[in-house]
Amino acid sequence: MNKLGRTNLTEELLNWIGVTKHPHRFGGVEFRLNETEIGHLHGNHLFDILLSTSERDRWIKEGRASPHHMYPDSGWVSIYLITEEDIAYAIEIARAKYDQLKSKGE
């Protein structure tokens, strides 16, 4: 995958009101709404998001995300950014997390 996918994902997230980009503690970049992480990118090919158990299970069941690459039994999911469809899934899941955070007043 080229940098276009990462650029499209990054540009989309940064277009949302209040979202900022920061270095991630394990490498890559993370996206935050205020001080709460929405998700983070590792390189150009892997996007991770922390979700509730029910949301995690739903996205995995729908085939839009995979269990986390390092901690498969956690609330984290991984989205491998291989195709444009994968990027669309990453945006969709990140938007759901963003909307949830906004509704909580974060």
Side-chain angles (χ1 to χ4, degrees):
M1 160 169 202
N2 62 30
K3 291 187 180 196
L4 183 60
R6 177 182 176 164
T7 301
N8 287 344
L9 177 59
T10 298
E11 288 175 2
E12 178 66 25
L13 293 171
L14 292 177
N15 278 325
W16 301 345
I17 295 170
V19 173
T20 55
K21 180 173 86 169
H22 305 269
H24 184 63
R25 65 189 178 278
F26 298 122
V29 296
E30 74 179 52
F31 300 91
R32 297 181 196 159
L33 176 60
N34 299 318
E35 294 303 312
T36 303
E37 181 181 341
I38 296 169
H40 58 269
L41 269 169
H42 294 284
N44 296 325
H45 66 283
L46 181 59
F47 188 59
D48 293 330
I49 303 176
L50 179 61
L51 304 169
S52 68
T53 303
S54 61
E55 284 293 299
R56 173 198 177 275
D57 293 347
R58 184 187 91 163
W59 293 113
I60 291 170
K61 183 178 180 181
E62 291 178 5
R64 296 173 187 233
S66 299
H68 190 265
H69 59 103
M70 295 288 293
Y71 304 103
D73 296 324
S74 71
W76 288 93
V77 296
S78 293
I79 301 130
Y80 294 91
L81 305 174
I82 299 166
T83 67
E84 291 298 317
E85 186 175 46
D86 298 330
I87 296 161
Y89 292 157
I91 291 169
E92 180 181 10
I93 297 168
R95 185 64 195 212
K97 172 95 182 233
Y98 171 84
D99 290 343
Q100 180 185 52
L101 293 172
K102 289 285 280 188
S103 73
K104 290 181 177 179
E106 303 224 12

